[in-house]
Amino acid sequence: MTDESVTSLDVTGDTTTVSLHGEIDILTVEQLRVALGEAVTAGPRLIVVDMAEVAFIDSTGLGALISGFQRARDQGISFRLSRPSDNVRQILVLSGLLEVVELTP
């Protein structure tokens, strides 16, 4: 098991970017939940989840993204996913997540 962080937060103006790295799975999903919670609590106008460095995401990671999206929506915060690799994008499409969450290039 690794202690390596899979998330980082960056606040620029009224946008909070949550950058994800590596594999988002049962071992790392709690970091994602905490980061998304902190992002929502900060009250930005927009939360962007940068997925460019994600190698893999499982159902627990997808669940955390959905939960984060719902929490942001409930607070009136826009929530977008950004730059997934082709294989991660395919997982997002198959999960139906992209039907409710906007994807930006």
Side-chain angles (χ1 to χ4, degrees), residues 30-84:
E30 190 57 31
Q31 292 179 50
L32 174 56
R33 286 190 188 110
V34 168
L36 290 174
E38 289 174 359
V40 170
T41 300
R45 194 175 299 163
L46 170 65
I47 295 172
V48 176
V49 180
D50 186 342
M51 304 185 76
E53 301 294 320
V54 176
F56 173 78
I57 186 165
D58 73 1
S59 60
T60 61
L62 293 170
L65 287 174
I66 291 167
S67 175
F69 164 72
Q70 291 170 334
R71 288 173 67 184
R73 183 189 60 201
D74 291 348
Q75 299 294 321
I77 300 168
S78 296
F79 187 96
R80 294 191 187 129
L81 302 177
S82 152
R83 305 186 316 149

